[in-house]
Amino acid sequence: MARHTRARRTAAVVALLGTSALGVGALAAASPALAASAAPKASATPKATATPKASSTPKPGATPKPSATTKPSAKPTASVITITGLNSAYGNTAGGTNIVITGKGFSRVDPSNKSSVLFAKTPATAFLVLSDTQIAATAPAGTGTKIQISVTDGTNTSPDTPTDDFSYLDPITVAVPDKTSFSAAGGTSVRVTLTGKNLTLGTSQSTFAAKKITATVDGAPASLTWADATHVDLVAPAGTPSKNPAKVVIANNGVTGPADTAHAKYVAVVTKLSAVSGKVAGTTGLAGKPALTITGVGLSGATGFSIGSAKATCTAVSGKEDTTWTCANIPAGTAGAAPVQPTFADGRTAGVTAGSIYVYTDL
């Protein structure tokens, strides 16, 4: 009977206060026994959380969107000092080749630090920082191999790239036949001998040309044609006649060898005659018309002309002293071909060309 009475009281209190947290709490303060009886039964299990609909799950094959918090990868840091090119990628094994290095960050380089510019592991013989983008350097001696040039400020060093490759080459020596005369007009061909350490000239003109071996005579380009394993035919350019020898130089990819300055020189030449033959007794010119007009190169300063062994009296055309002279008369001579050549007081000599031949004949 008491149990039924307690139950009725509990139901009445619950109906009055409700089963909220506040109601149960107030009840607990008033009567713990009644609160315990009024609390929800443990068997009343809370409803399970609703499962997300399948449509919220990414479909197979769909590319997930990147997380909003994912940061993009950082770009590689650019080098502080770099080399982007060399004005020449070749140098003499003996050292002394001057090159210009192009790049950036060179203003950071310490000019007093000899190791700021290195050829492989060897410091440049000398260098000068021209600007933030250029350095002038003198290569030290090295072996006949390809090496890397590097520039450093002590902390940062230029990375190795194909643009900093430098190759050491052995110089080529040239020997010109003794007493060679190069026509001042150009075109003289002479066979010269080339020598050098590990030198190979190829087996044909095409393989020789690929080696980029070049020549100059007194600084002007001369052409080269392959002849054999040790010889090439050099065709000299036009030049200035002199009693001093001409300077012949061979270069290997721009690396110059020792010059031949003892065996050849430029000489004045006659290239054309207004008359190519005449009587043995000689020819007398007409009034206002010379018997012979001489055209050539390097004729300035001539003291006279000879036709074979005969001496001719000739005068330079005003303003054309180096190229044109006239002779009022052609002196008598000996039957046969005779070269026409100028004579010089300073000891210069003249060459003979096909265009300088005069033929004496009575036929």
Side-chain angles (χ1 to χ4, degrees), residues 38-332:
K41 295 180 179 180
S43 60
T45 304
K47 292 182 179 181
T49 303
T51 302
K53 294 180 179 180
S55 59
S56 63
T57 303
K59 295 180 178 180
T63 302
K65 294 183 179 179
S67 171
T69 59
T70 303
K71 295 182 179 180
S73 301
K75 293 182 179 180
T77 303
S79 300
V80 175
I81 299 178
T82 59
I83 294 176
T84 57
L86 308 173
N87 73 321
S88 175
Y90 301 92
N92 196 318
T93 52
T97 302
N98 295 317
I99 67 169
V100 176
I101 305 170
T102 301
K104 70 174 183 178
F106 297 159
S107 58
R108 304 170 61 93
V109 172
D110 180 2
S112 65
N113 185 354
K114 294 183 179 179
S115 295
S116 293
V117 180
L118 296 176
F119 286 70
K121 297 181 179 180
T122 306
T125 302
F127 74 88
L128 177 65
V129 178
L130 303 176
S131 68
D132 188 65
T133 60
Q134 285 193 325
I135 291 178
T138 302
T143 59
T145 57
K146 180 183 289 185
I147 57 94
Q148 173 205 1
I149 294 177
S150 61
V151 176
T152 181
D153 62 4
T155 301
N156 306 284
T157 301
S158 59
D160 184 11
T161 67
T163 57
D164 59 34
D165 289 345
F166 183 82
S167 296
Y168 280 104
L169 299 176
D170 295 299
I172 298 175
T173 300
V174 57
V176 181
D178 194 24
K179 298 181 179 180
T180 294
S181 294
F182 290 143
S183 165
T188 303
S189 179
V190 59
R191 184 157 293 185
V192 300
T193 303
L194 304 185
T195 57
K197 185 178 180 180
N198 301 318
L199 176 65
T200 57
L201 300 182
T203 57
S204 66
Q205 177 57 26
S206 60
T207 56
F208 171 73
K211 295 180 177 295
K212 296 183 180 180
I213 296 175
T214 57
T216 59
V217 180
D218 282 350
S223 67
L224 294 176
T225 302
W226 180 83
D228 57 39
T230 57
H231 298 89
V232 294
D233 291 328
L234 179 150
V235 178
T240 302
S242 173
K243 62 181 179 181
N244 299 317
K247 182 179 181 180
V248 181
V249 176
I250 299 296
N252 184 3
N253 278 275
V255 176
T256 58
D260 184 320
T261 58
H263 303 111
K265 62 182 178 180
Y266 274 106
V267 296
V269 290
V270 171
T271 58
K272 182 179 179 181
L273 302 173
S274 61
V276 296
S277 63
K279 296 180 179 180
V280 172
T283 303
T284 302
L286 302 175
K289 185 178 180 180
L292 183 65
T293 298
I294 300 171
T295 303
V297 180
L299 306 181
S300 180
T303 56
F305 283 80
S306 62
I307 303 177
S309 58
K311 301 297 181 182
T313 301
C314 305
T315 304
V317 174
S318 179
K320 298 182 178 181
E321 292 83 0
D322 195 65
T323 60
T324 311
W325 290 59
T326 59
C327 307
N329 303 305
I330 298 175

